[in-house]
Amino acid sequence: MRRTLSLLFLALICGCIAHGQGGPCTGMSLGRGASLNGYIPFPADNAWNQDISGAAVDPNSNGIINFIGGSVTMHPDFGAGTYNGSTLGIPYVIVSGSPFVKINFTAYGDESDPGPMPIPANAPIEGYPQPGNGDRHVLVLDRDNCWLYELDRSFKKQNGSWNADSAAVWDLMNDEQRPYTWTSADAAGLPIFPGLARYDEVASGQIKHALRFTLAQSRQAFVPPASHWAPNSSNSLAAPMGMRMRLKASYDISGFPAQSQVILAALKKYGMIMADNGSSMFLSGEPDNRWDNNDLNSLKGVPASAFEVVLMNPIYTSGNVPTGPNPVISSFTANPTIVPPGAPVTLNWSASGTQYYIVSPQVGAIRGTTAIVNPTQTTTYTLYATNQYGRSVKTVKVTVQ
């Protein structure tokens, strides 16, 4: 009986030690498109959450706007209902205690965060119920542990795992910089979710973060916190990934309907961050049948000339991308290393210069330096330690007999 209680206690604390307490995320509701109930992802000093209404204008702002096309208008790439059978926008789901499943990478595995990840079998794929052959993003927020998981070109497999071109994990309680030149589920190497216009925020009367948008052309450069480029233009006035545009303070929004006014006010205070190649001035949001499409359509009357480019400094190109040391893993151990099936094993590690850890299989993204696992067969565990310069890896084997 004492051994049973001991094992139960270890199992209960395993998730807490491995993944970290949810902290401020615990107030979020659960489900597809659920409300965050006022929670704002990432710290207040994160680039997505910074008030840039008083920031300097980039000296090339006019030239960049002219290159985009001053008469090109905004387009809300989200709304209510469907178009050709697909919902309008990028969906997300908030989960609690979902099983962690394997992610199989089909394109950019060397720049992706390995699984496992808590992607539910019914996670909405961008464009659901008919996702088609587009980006097929999947966004999952883990309420209990306060992590964000994002997949690109996602396909669910019959065995419960997922195929994806790429995937990234984001610690919602910290400022995280992906390794320079690495992609994420977005071309800029940025998280997608914090840049979505969400109905629950608009209904509250205020969006408190920057929004995500796309442009048709970009050059081989990025502006932090972006980490990756996907150039399709050599013109010096083409946008670098991560470029932020701000609606001019002088632009009168008083005549716009209610939902659009909230969005435009956010674009004056927080701006919008260029995150991918696509149709120019397309603004990202979640699909929700409570959107008023007639209201949102009024955004199509706002031209690019009503915006200005916020000062970009630094701009990283192939000649000045920062370099530095990868994390240093000094130890990664298992105790004990030989166990019967299902017995608890404590994984411990020590590392320096690390922004976040992942242990695979079974554990996933973690905070701290300890995890408890219960292998049922001989398993080699891999510790991934990542910072802005790259990733270091160390393994340990546990024999089950």
Side-chain angles (χ1 to χ4, degrees):
M1 179 67 174
R2 181 173 298 173
R3 174 175 169 78
T4 301
L5 289 173
S6 175
L7 289 175
L8 176 60
F9 174 74
L10 288 170
L12 287 172
I13 67 172
C14 176
C16 172
I17 292 175
H19 303 289
Q21 293 286 3
C25 291
T26 55
M28 297 191 297
S29 298
L30 297 174
R32 180 181 299 176
S35 175
L36 274 64
N37 297 316
Y39 173 67
I40 301 174
F42 304 118
D45 64 352
N46 188 273
W48 288 102
N49 302 327
Q50 290 177 359
D51 178 350
I52 48 80
S53 57
V57 176
D58 194 88
N60 291 318
S61 178
N62 289 339
I64 293 171
I65 297 297
N66 289 336
F67 181 78
I68 295 169
S71 62
V72 174
T73 59
M74 282 183 59
H75 181 100
D77 199 19
F78 59 96
T82 61
Y83 179 76
N84 288 338
S86 298
T87 46
L88 308 174
I90 303 176
Y92 67 92
V93 63
I94 303 175
V95 301
S96 173
S98 290
F100 280 67
V101 299
K102 182 179 179 181
I103 309 299
N104 310 290
F105 295 111
T106 54
Y108 306 105
D110 57 337
E111 297 179 15
S112 293
D113 292 319
M117 298 181 182
I119 313 299
N122 63 348
I125 301 171
E126 182 180 3
Y128 78 93
Q130 296 183 28
N133 200 38
D135 289 338
R136 299 179 62 97
H137 289 119
V138 167
L139 314 183
V140 177
L141 291 87
D142 181 351
R143 182 187 71 175
D144 292 351
N145 301 298
C146 222
W147 293 91
L148 166 65
Y149 301 83
E150 299 189 340
L151 280 62
D152 175 46
R153 294 282 301 156
S154 313
F155 296 84
K156 184 184 67 176
K157 300 184 69 178
Q158 289 186 347
N159 64 2
S161 67
W162 286 75
N163 285 352
D165 275 9
S166 62
V169 176
W170 302 92
D171 186 343
L172 293 174
M173 297 194 294
N174 290 296
D175 291 323
E176 177 187 320
Q177 171 71 57
R178 286 194 71 69
Y180 294 117
T181 73
W182 283 27
T183 190
S184 62
D186 221 352
L190 292 168
I192 296 170
F193 178 79
L196 298 182
R198 305 195 317 273
Y199 179 83
D200 67 318
E201 293 181 300
V202 172
S204 75
Q206 190 175 13
I207 294 174
K208 299 181 179 179
H209 57 82
L211 296 175
R212 173 190 185 270
F213 82 111
T214 60
L215 289 172
Q217 297 186 66
S218 67
R219 62 188 176 100
Q220 188 170 314
F222 60 82
V223 178
S227 64
H228 184 258
W229 51 60
N232 59 8
S233 174
S234 59
N235 194 301
S236 63
L237 292 175
M241 290 290 175
M243 182 185 78
R244 191 188 303 244
M245 291 171 57
R246 172 182 63 204
L247 187 63
K248 293 177 180 177
S250 60
Y251 189 79
D252 184 8
I253 64 174
S254 62
F256 285 83
Q259 293 181 359
S260 293
Q261 273 202 40
V262 174
I263 293 170
L264 293 171
L267 293 176
K268 287 189 174 188
K269 186 172 183 177
Y270 300 98
M272 58 185 187
I273 297 176
M274 196 278 208
D276 198 359
N277 299 319
S279 297
S280 285
M281 300 296 291
F282 271 46
L283 194 68
S284 299
E286 62 149 340
D288 194 303
N289 285 331
R290 294 170 294 180
W291 289 119
D292 182 335
N293 287 348
N294 290 328
D295 182 320
L296 295 178
N297 281 337
S298 68
L299 295 173
K300 296 177 182 178
V302 182
S305 60
F307 288 82
E308 54 201 0
V309 177
V310 175
L311 179 64
M312 296 183 287
N313 184 30
I315 299 176
Y316 291 131
T317 65
S318 56
N320 68 337
V321 173
T323 59
N326 290 1
V328 175
I329 303 174
S330 53
S331 66
F332 181 40
T333 62
N335 184 29
T337 56
I338 302 176
V339 293
V345 175
T346 300
L347 304 177
N348 283 294
W349 57 91
S350 177
S352 59
T354 301
Q355 289 193 355
Y356 64 99
Y357 298 106
I358 295 172
V359 173
S360 184
Q362 300 172 16
V363 179
I366 54 175
R367 300 182 186 94
T369 57
T370 301
I372 298 174
V373 293
N374 300 81
T376 57
Q377 60 185 10
T378 296
T379 303
T380 297
Y381 292 94
T382 303
L383 172 68
Y384 301 87
T386 307
N387 67 11
Q388 67 269 39
Y389 302 117
R391 173 172 291 158
S392 297
V393 176
K394 201 172 186 66
T395 63
V396 65
K397 183 178 180 180
V398 176
T399 301
V400 175
Q401 55 181 218

